[in-house]
């Protein structure tokens, strides 16, 4: 009879996510993971299969949580400009607080660009974000809050790319004024 798991799998994924986020996949050893999670390597393999599978679950958690929060905010927004401004400022604040962390999605895309599963997950999340932004802009256009001459899909592509670029620049330890100016510039495309 198998022994019951002696740790919370969800909590372990969150802790692994934070470790991978701080250090990256390559710099996080199996020993680092077992120490962070407080479990043996046998338990880690029994629960997750491998370091790579645990990383995939951690990336999934990040995408669901962080991209999910942006998506929820945009889907329920009565004012897309305000929702985007709030989201972009929150991202800038996160980068100012912990510039070394950056965005886990950006980190995954740059560090694991040779791993097809990571590339697929990152690409899927970016397409979902872009589609959500486009939908929010289409609704804004239908309400008359966005000029009929603007292309919501084109703007969504720009804003999705801007978000990822802002997250990269945030790792360069730029100052608040720079990030606020960038956010204002990006939002000006909606005028």
């Amino acid at each position: 009879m198998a022994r019951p798991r002696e740790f919370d799998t969800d909590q372990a994924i969150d802790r692994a996510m934070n470790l991978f986020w701080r250090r990256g996949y390559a710099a996080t050893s199996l020993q680092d993971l077992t120490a962070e999670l407080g479990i043996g390597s046998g338990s880690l393999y029994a629960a997750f299969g491998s370091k790579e599978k645990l990383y995939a679950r951690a990336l999934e958690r990040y995408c669901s949580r962080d991209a999910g929060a942006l998506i929820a905010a945009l889907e329920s927004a009565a004012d897309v400009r305000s929702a985007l401004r709030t989201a972009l400022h929150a991202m800038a604040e996160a980068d100012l607080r912990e510039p070394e962390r950056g965005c886990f999605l950006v980190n995954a895309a740059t560090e694991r660009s040779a791993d097809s599963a990571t590339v697929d997950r990152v690409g899927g999340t970016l397409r979902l974000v872009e589609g959500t932004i486009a939908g929010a802009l289409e609704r804004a256009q239908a309400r008359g809050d966005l000029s009929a001459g603007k292309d919501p899909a084109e703007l969504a592509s720009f804003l999705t790319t801007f978000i990822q670029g802002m997250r990269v620049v945030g790792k360069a330890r730029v100052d608040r004024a720079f990030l606020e100016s960038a956010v204002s510039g990006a939002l000006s495309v909606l005028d």
Side-chain angles (χ1 to χ4, degrees), residues 92-174:
E93 286 299 322
D95 290 339
L96 289 167
R97 266 192 319 274
E98 295 183 277
E100 65 284 348
R101 276 176 70 133
C103 170
F104 192 20
L105 193 67
V106 169
N107 297 349
T110 55
E111 182 185 19
R112 308 245 320 141
S113 62
D115 178 65
S116 62
T118 300
V119 169
D120 289 347
R121 183 64 184 118
V122 169
T125 300
L126 293 176
R127 285 187 298 278
L128 181 60
V129 167
E130 183 178 346
T132 302
I133 293 172
L137 292 173
E138 288 167 2
R139 289 188 299 279
Q141 200 170 49
R143 289 190 307 266
D145 296 338
L146 180 66
S147 166
K150 300 283 185 175
D151 181 341
E154 189 176 279
L155 290 172
S157 293
F158 167 76
L159 289 167
T160 302
T161 302
F162 170 79
I163 289 168
Q164 299 316 303
M166 183 181 79
R167 304 310 304 266
V168 170
V169 170
K171 287 188 82 154
R173 292 166 173 77
V174 296

Side-chain angles (χ1 to χ4, degrees), residues 2-153:
R3 289 181 33 203
R5 197 166 278 141
E6 296 178 11
F7 63 95
D8 183 317
T9 304
D10 283 335
Q11 187 177 58
I13 293 168
D14 284 340
R15 293 181 75 166
M17 178 187 70
N18 284 313
L19 185 60
F20 285 129
W21 195 352
R22 284 192 319 269
R23 293 180 150 194
Y25 178 82
T28 302
S29 69
L30 182 59
Q31 286 179 322
D32 295 331
L33 285 166
T34 57
E36 180 72 19
L37 304 181
I39 61 174
S41 59
S43 294
L44 185 139
Y45 283 113
F48 303 109
S50 66
K51 172 185 164 183
E52 190 160 327
K53 288 179 182 176
L54 177 55
Y55 181 84
R57 297 216 21 214
L59 179 58
E60 174 67 32
R61 174 70 48 91
Y62 177 85
C63 292
S64 296
R65 188 189 70 196
D66 287 44
L70 175 60
I71 290 164
L74 289 172
E75 286 178 342
S76 65
D79 177 9
V80 70
R81 280 183 179 88
S82 294
L84 282 168
R85 183 177 295 107
T86 298
L88 293 173
H89 280 291
M91 290 174 204
E93 286 299 322
D95 290 339
L96 289 167
R97 266 192 319 274
E98 295 183 277
E100 65 284 348
R101 276 176 70 133
C103 170
F104 192 20
L105 193 67
V106 169
N107 297 349
T110 55
E111 182 185 19
R112 308 245 320 141
S113 62
D115 178 65
S116 62
T118 300
V119 169
D120 289 347
R121 183 64 184 118
V122 169
T125 300
L126 293 176
R127 285 187 298 278
L128 181 60
V129 167
E130 183 178 346
T132 302
I133 293 172
L137 292 173
E138 288 167 2
R139 289 188 299 279
Q141 200 170 49
R143 289 190 307 266
D145 296 338
L146 180 66
S147 166
K150 300 283 185 175
D151 181 341

Side-chain angles (χ1 to χ4, degrees), residues 168-185:
V168 170
V169 170
K171 287 188 82 154
R173 292 166 173 77
V174 296
D175 63 17
R176 179 178 309 283
F178 179 87
L179 289 174
E180 287 178 0
S181 175
V183 168
S184 293

